[in-house]
Amino acid sequence: MSETLRHTPLFSLHENYGAKMVPFAGYAMPLQYADGIMAEHQHTRAHAGLFDVSHMGQVALHPIDGDMDRVALALERVVPVDVLGLKPGRQRYGFLTNDAGGILDDLMIVNMETWFLVVVNAACKARDIALMQRALSSECTVQPLEDRALLALQGPQAVTALERLMPDVVSMKFMDAKTGQLDGAEVIVTRSGYTGEDGFEISVPATAAERIAEALLAQAEVKPIGLGARDSLRLEAGLCLYGSDLDETTTPVEGALEWAIQKARRSGGARAGGFPGADLVLAQLEHGASRRRVGLLAEGRAPVRHGAALFADSEGGASIGVVTSGAFGPTLQAPVAMGYVETGYMLAGTKIFAELRGRRIPVTVAAMPFVPPGFKR
Amino acid sequence: MTLYFTKEHEWLRVEGDVAVVGITKHAAGELGEIVFFELNVSANDLQQGDSVAVVESVKAASDVYAPVDGVILEGNPDLAGNPELISNDPEGNGWMLKMTLTNKAQLADLMDADAYAALIG
């Protein structure tokens, strides 16, 4: 393991639990533990899995003059999301866009009543923070929360396990956020995650991270889960991985993420546009884009992976798209993938072909998520 | 009957003119649970180092290379429906293929079990 890799506050815990550590976004992170990716994935779907997501960036936006609406409106200059309509104690998915309507990063925005918490991807956080400091510094301070760790407790039994340590989480609904005491530490809990399961993300002081993780792992339902299963879980849930399924060249409409652009920010809405690339994104919302992110199911058991070219026919012709994520789905016990296709091929049920080791194998465009979500609405 | 190992983590059990080939326990452990195995349909008259099969775990695809020159006689018929045999018993029932050896002298350059154990530390 290279010495230049950063460690999260849970590095020692991962090693104690026998994790296989790998480099990810500049951090040494657990790929899997002794049970392996398949078992960890299935444990999360059936019980509860604890993930270390401390490598992600947690950023606090505190209003300079106490006015949350001013910060909300400032944030709306960089994200196409209705931030003004986000109520205290609620969070919302969104993304930063560039002038071409491409996605610079995807993120979560949490209204903490007197400040906003923004959670961004590890690989993008330095740039995101610089961007927010440039764009928002007249309305709020932009402060990376370097002294906090982030845990994700995911799965149908996550609430049962967490409730023993923090009883009032049971009343939370999907995308609710609240502060509270967990094992004597001040924590921020959101009922959310990135596995398609019910669950929580828990921001904790770095100094308490190991103790809280151990307290969660002491619950019978909970096992530690690595990045490998996190990837297969989010893929089965039809959720995008930034850098694979989304990047600066993909727009929200191409990425099938227009559900994250609320009515207020669309043409005719109360605060239409005003974010980078708005002209292009709003036009695509009305008229569509030339390509679209879709789910893909392959015949047989061979996974079709990132980078595989897609074709309309079994031989000849130009490529009509590309696979951006693909793996074997442990819940489905079948290969699952997502990718981009020209919009003429985007409807579920469309039969196309993926290039796999020099051959073209049949794949079917499929609705996502591949596995029904377990969110508590 | 003698066991040989390659630095690409294949093993080779030579029985007369025929070799049984698979991947080592070490390699299987590194790959994680295997979900798919396939011989390269074009692989027949093999040169040492040619890609002869692909093995896929949940996470990634890996090539398997011909440890010596030869011709494929058969793949393990049990792997099509049960590729996890490779994870569970890589140096036994999870064997991948049988091949003839066209250049037996190449065996001298492969490792024995002790040398392989030293390689993987």
Side-chain angles (χ1 to χ4, degrees), chain A residues 49-251:
Chain A
L50 183 69
F51 302 74
D52 180 13
V53 287
S54 304
H55 57 310
M56 297 180 70
Q58 302 180 65
V59 186
L61 308 181
H62 284 277
I64 285 170
D65 61 1
D67 187 345
M68 283 290 279
D69 286 357
R70 269 191 73 197
V71 181
L73 291 170
L75 259 175
E76 291 190 359
R77 294 200 298 259
V78 292
V79 296
V81 174
D82 176 4
V83 186
L84 192 64
L86 180 64
K87 294 185 170 62
R90 294 286 295 163
Q91 72 171 343
R92 195 161 260 182
Y93 175 80
F95 25 78
L96 296 162
T97 49
N98 64 22
D99 289 339
I103 297 174
L104 290 170
D105 194 8
D106 61 345
L107 46 73
M108 297 296 306
I109 301 169
V110 193
N111 184 330
M112 297 298 299
E113 206 161 343
T114 57
W115 58 289
F116 286 101
L117 170 64
V118 180
V119 181
V120 300
N121 281 301
C124 304
K125 65 182 170 185
R127 186 179 64 181
D128 293 349
I129 290 163
L131 183 157
M132 287 191 283
Q133 281 169 340
R134 276 197 308 277
L136 310 175
S137 57
S138 55
E139 286 87 5
C140 61
T141 58
V142 177
Q143 179 197 359
L145 300 177
E146 303 279 8
D147 57 349
R148 294 190 78 84
L150 192 62
L151 309 176
L153 186 67
Q154 300 282 293
Q157 294 175 349
V159 65
T160 312
L162 185 58
E163 192 190 353
R164 287 188 208 108
L165 305 171
M166 209 176 163
D168 52 353
V169 297
V170 78
S171 62
M172 296 176 75
K173 291 190 167 55
F174 185 55
M175 300 297 255
D176 277 352
K178 69 185 307 174
T179 55
Q181 292 282 321
L182 174 52
D183 202 34
E186 195 71 41
V187 302
I188 302 163
V189 181
T190 60
R191 194 155 194 171
S192 61
Y194 218 60
T195 59
E197 295 298 324
D198 182 27
F200 301 87
E201 292 202 345
I202 312 166
S203 170
V204 305
T207 50
E210 193 167 328
R211 203 181 73 228
I212 291 173
E214 290 284 14
L216 292 167
L217 289 168
Q219 308 302 311
E221 300 85 356
V222 183
K223 284 189 171 187
I225 311 293
L227 289 178
R230 184 169 163 82
D231 193 53
S232 53
L233 287 159
R234 69 92 200 159
L235 176 57
E236 283 186 340
L239 299 167
C240 293
L241 176 65
Y242 192 82
S244 291
D245 307 302
L246 301 175
D247 61 33
E248 292 177 43
T249 71
T250 27
T251 68

Side-chain angles (χ1 to χ4, degrees), chain A residues 20 38 305 357 359, chain B residues 30 33 38 56-57 59:
Chain A
K20 180 175 173 184
M38 191 85 83
R305 299 190 191 268
R357 294 185 279 276
R359 285 176 291 153
Chain B
E30 289 291 304
E33 302 96 321
E38 182 178 64
E56 303 226 22
S57 67
K59 191 75 190 148

Side-chain angles (χ1 to χ4, degrees), chain B residues 6-77:
Chain B
T6 72
K7 62 180 189 302
E8 285 79 27
H9 310 290
E10 290 97 7
W11 57 263
L12 190 70
R13 192 173 67 233
V14 179
E15 301 167 349
D17 290 333
V18 174
V20 184
V21 178
I23 60 169
T24 65
K25 277 183 190 148
H26 170 78
E30 289 291 304
L31 281 169
E33 302 96 321
I34 288 160
V35 297
F36 181 76
F37 170 79
E38 182 178 64
L39 280 182
N40 289 348
V41 285
S42 58
N44 192 1
D45 195 1
L46 297 164
Q47 303 291 304
Q48 189 176 40
D50 284 354
S51 173
V52 57
V54 65
V55 57
E56 303 226 22
S57 67
V58 180
K59 191 75 190 148
S62 298
D63 284 315
V64 179
Y65 301 100
V68 288
D69 298 354
V71 175
I72 291 185
L73 296 172
E74 62 167 324
N76 182 346

